[in-house]
Amino acid sequence: MGVDFCAIDFETANSSPASACQVGLARVRDGAVVETASWLIRPVSGHDEFNVWNTRIHGITADHVADARGWREQFPQLCDFVGDDVLVAHNAGFDTGVLRKATAVCGDPCPEYRYLCSLQVARRVYDLPSYKLPLAAEAAGFTGFTHHDAAADALACAHIVIDAARRHEASDLDDLAVRIGVTVRTLEAVLEPVA
């Protein structure tokens, strides 16, 4: 078994975790990125107002997602890409919150994915003044990416975990977690729709 996982990153239209407007994915096999994907998402109705602050960060507006498929229509594609992989995200609580809340608002079940936070990994592996994604990715040797583009952020996140696994000679993500003292958690499904 190798270092296999799927890195994921979401951008949101506003402060609601159900307002996903872009997803980025990076599939890793045997410690190397083998495939990436990214697409825009029309946020769930009722969570679809674009906050000026969010747009300033990622540059995505309501016009950009007007013709995009909604969360419910595109979620199967996301699940197909992830498969049975462990998810990896930088500040994973945010990205797993998007998965949980957007599916719950639609009244759909969310797979109980296992996940690892690359922010926690970076804090255990690097000695940095800040563990924000650009600095942690630079420590992993991944530079020059467009921060707050979901595809680029997922790729940066993947490189942090790949580098950590290499440095610690980890055979898989569970082994890495044990070696550096972090936890691979399980995403708990939301049982009732979230308003």
Side-chain angles (χ1 to χ4, degrees), residues 135-148:
L135 289 176
E138 183 176 351
F142 186 74
T143 59
F145 69 100
T146 305
H147 187 31
H148 295 300

Side-chain angles (χ1 to χ4, degrees), residues 19-193:
S19 71
C21 61
Q22 184 187 36
V23 63
L25 301 157
R27 180 178 291 131
V28 174
R29 293 292 178 265
D30 293 322
V33 176
V34 296
E35 187 176 0
T36 61
S38 177
W39 57 85
L40 294 172
I41 303 165
R42 187 172 23 84
V44 176
S45 180
H47 301 266
D48 52 354
E49 182 177 333
F50 276 77
N51 180 290
V52 174
W53 174 253
N54 290 58
T55 296
R56 236 183 246 149
I57 291 171
H58 52 56
I60 302 168
T61 67
D63 288 343
H64 290 121
V65 301
D67 295 327
R69 292 176 300 141
W71 179 266
R72 177 174 269 166
E73 293 79 25
Q74 61 76 37
F75 191 60
Q77 180 182 355
L78 186 155
C79 293
D80 286 347
F81 191 97
V82 173
D84 294 329
D85 281 354
V86 174
L87 292 175
V88 170
H90 206 71
N91 189 16
F94 171 80
D95 297 285
T96 59
V98 171
L99 283 169
R100 291 175 68 233
K101 299 291 173 71
T103 53
V105 165
C106 289
D108 296 326
C110 182
E112 294 185 1
Y113 290 115
R114 296 178 70 228
Y115 68 93
L116 178 67
C117 180
S118 64
L119 175 60
Q120 292 178 357
V121 170
R123 286 180 173 151
R124 296 294 183 136
V125 175
Y126 308 122
D127 183 15
L128 301 171
S130 166
Y131 294 91
K132 291 183 177 179
L133 185 59
L135 289 176
E138 183 176 351
F142 186 74
T143 59
F145 69 100
T146 305
H147 187 31
H148 295 300
D149 172 80
D153 285 357
L155 197 53
C157 174
H159 281 279
I160 293 166
V161 174
I162 290 167
D163 183 58
R166 181 190 54 77
R167 288 176 184 236
H168 290 275
E169 299 179 350
S171 59
D172 59 30
L173 288 192
D174 290 306
D175 184 36
L176 174 63
V178 169
R179 288 173 185 256
I180 65 173
V182 297
T183 304
V184 177
R185 300 188 183 282
T186 300
L187 179 65
E188 294 179 13
V190 175
L191 302 177
E192 296 180 25

